[in-house]
Amino acid sequence: MKVIDLRSDTVTKPTTKMREVMAYAEVGDDVYGEDPTINKLEQKAAELVGKEAALFVASGTMGNLLAVMTHTQPGNEIILGKNSHIFQYEVGGLAKLAGVQARTLDDSEGIFSTKDLLSAIRGEDIHYPESGLVCLENTHNKAGGVAIPKNKIDEISKTAHQHNIPVHLDGARIFNAVTELEEQVIDLVAEVDSVMFCLSKGLAAPVGSILAGTQEFIDKARKNRKMLGGGMRQAGILAAAALVAIEEMIDRLALDHDLAKKLAEGIDSKVVTLESVNSNFVILKVNEQLYDTKGLITELDRKGIKVSQFGSDLLRVVTHKDISKEDIDRVIDIFSEL
Ligand SMILES: *Cc1c(COP(=O)(O)O)cnc(C)c1O
């Protein structure tokens, strides 16, 4: 039985082409700046998002942490959504490793309001920490994969900049946002100072993320990456696969979004109802009179379908390149048989 793994797009396997180019990638010592494939990836990634420079990092978590460390000083306060990945799911690295405290705002809809931002920005007072950074997320994971439109990103960025506060965008799934909004990525991230995006989620590279920003910012971030132990050597092997990810895997994300819609249209059954569908995320509400949520996850697992829990009575179902139309049909059938 083929397991249909819908827990996350992080489970995507590298493509055959990725494995081939990895085998023959030209490499060098990247800590000396001498890995030609890494250099090519960083240049292409910077051009792709319209920033001066980019840095290949081990993970999205490392990219976000580097952004926080590089934009701020220890003792600063950073402003971010209370449901943001950086606040919820990055092991408190912002406090422990960057030495900043978090000021969290309501981002239930995916982004906080300008009004809330303004009330959180610190003025001059002997008691206050300095507001060092604003962080946004697109697509927003905990809000159900919702894509944040350009005007909202721009408005928050403008307000932060008026107070001399830089803005970092956690764009782990920025290309899903671009696909959903039918925007150009360069426009969508034009007003933020730095952006991180993941190569290893929907884009299916085996490892890595990109942090992009000004040349000066990336130079500093590169040194911080070394401090964290993230200076890699013949990393061109990984960059080769990442180049395939950005050259060949972005345009196909629309297929994942289509599959999410297809699933959303067919899924209502006795056991679950559709809560939301955005980008490649489908959120389902469990009918707890029939199944408790954990019990349903176990039952689905027994039938070869993996989904993740997303709240007390919610399931998260994520489509990606290793999921086919037939898989979605089977998932719909299995739900209706429960
Ligand atoms: C996955 C994810 C990250 C972190 O990426 P890792 O590579 O898993 O460390 C950061 N932000 C968001 C919104 C994510 O979905």
Side-chain angles (χ1 to χ4, degrees):
M1 179 176 63
K2 184 197 167 194
V3 173
I4 303 177
D5 194 342
L6 296 156
R7 287 171 302 172
S8 177
D9 45 13
T10 55
V11 303
T12 45
K13 305 268 170 67
T15 64
T16 306
K17 171 97 179 268
M18 287 177 185
R19 289 178 180 272
E20 283 168 4
V21 296
M22 289 174 83
Y24 299 103
E26 253 192 276
V27 295
D29 188 332
D30 180 48
V31 173
Y32 294 144
E34 290 173 3
D35 187 303
T37 313
I38 284 279
N39 292 343
K40 184 173 171 196
L41 171 67
E42 291 180 343
Q43 195 194 333
K44 288 220 162 191
E47 282 166 16
L48 178 67
V49 295
K51 301 292 178 200
E52 277 175 24
L55 183 68
F56 180 70
V57 296
S59 65
T61 300
M62 184 186 269
N64 284 334
L65 175 61
L66 285 173
V68 174
M69 287 180 97
T70 307
H71 282 299
T72 65
Q73 296 294 324
N76 282 178
E77 182 169 76
I78 70 169
I79 301 169
L80 74 180
K82 68 175 186 212
N83 297 309
S84 64
H85 197 281
I86 296 177
F87 182 65
Q88 290 287 348
Y89 305 117
E90 299 185 6
V91 209
L94 64 98
K96 182 160 178 172
L97 300 167
V100 299
Q101 69 179 14
R103 178 81 170 268
T104 57
L105 301 178
D106 181 15
D107 60 346
S108 315
E109 308 293 318
I111 190 167
F112 40 81
S113 67
T114 303
K115 183 164 160 270
D116 285 356
L117 173 61
L118 280 169
S119 68
I121 292 172
R122 301 283 190 162
E124 215 16 75
D125 186 301
I126 196 170
H127 303 89
Y128 286 170
E130 255 178 60
S131 302
L133 180 67
V134 170
C135 296
L136 300 174
E137 186 173 316
N138 204 6
T139 58
H140 194 292
N141 175 19
K142 202 62 194 156
V146 66
I148 314 298
K150 173 174 162 60
N151 64 337
K152 296 205 172 161
I153 303 274
D154 288 358
E155 195 185 315
I156 292 286
S157 301
K158 210 172 110 199
T159 305
H161 291 156
Q162 279 164 354
H163 293 81
N164 293 318
I165 305 169
V167 178
H168 171 66
L169 176 66
D170 173 353
R173 295 189 179 83
I174 194 66
F175 296 105
N176 293 96
V178 162
T179 304
E180 184 92 342
L181 299 165
E182 298 181 355
E183 284 273 359
Q184 298 297 315
V185 67
I186 291 182
D187 297 334
L188 196 55
V189 306
E191 297 303 319
V192 302
D193 301 276
S194 59
V195 56
M196 182 284 288
F197 67 87
C198 289
L199 301 156
S200 61
K201 292 187 171 172
L203 304 187
V207 177
S209 294
I210 294 288
L211 178 64
T214 63
Q215 186 68 54
E216 190 191 354
F217 170 81
I218 291 298
D219 290 345
K220 279 192 203 156
R222 190 179 296 279
K223 191 153 180 176
N224 284 332
R225 185 187 68 174
K226 188 76 181 88
M227 181 173 67
L228 294 179
M232 293 182 278
R233 302 295 180 177
Q234 286 71 36
I237 300 229
L238 301 174
L243 278 162
V244 177
I246 61 176
E247 282 161 6
E248 295 185 6
M249 304 302 284
I250 293 174
D251 288 346
R252 61 155 307 290
L253 291 174
L255 302 173
D256 300 343
H257 295 197
D258 290 346
L259 283 188
K261 284 195 197 79
K262 178 177 160 69
L263 179 70
E265 279 159 19
I267 200 72
D268 270 342
S269 58
K270 275 183 294 204
V271 291
V272 290
T273 50
L274 179 67
E275 180 82 2
S276 66
V277 55
N278 290 293
S279 62
N280 60 331
F281 279 34
V282 182
I283 309 298
L284 302 173
K285 194 179 181 70
V286 179
N287 178 354
E288 287 213 309
Q289 318 225 284
L290 290 178
Y291 277 100
D292 75 79
T293 303
K294 282 202 166 48
L296 179 58
I297 291 171
T298 309
E299 180 66 19
L300 288 167
D301 193 62
R302 222 174 278 140
K303 294 178 184 294
I305 296 175
K306 291 184 185 293
V307 300
S308 47
Q309 187 158 6
F310 197 63
S312 65
D313 62 349
L314 297 177
L315 302 178
R316 189 184 78 170
V317 182
V318 181
T319 56
H320 53 76
K321 76 127 176 92
D322 295 333
I323 298 295
S324 66
K325 258 197 187 117
E326 292 69 36
D327 293 336
I328 295 300
D329 287 334
R330 201 171 123 217
V331 172
I332 292 171
D333 285 348
I334 285 174
F335 271 89
S336 67
E337 286 160 14
L338 283 169

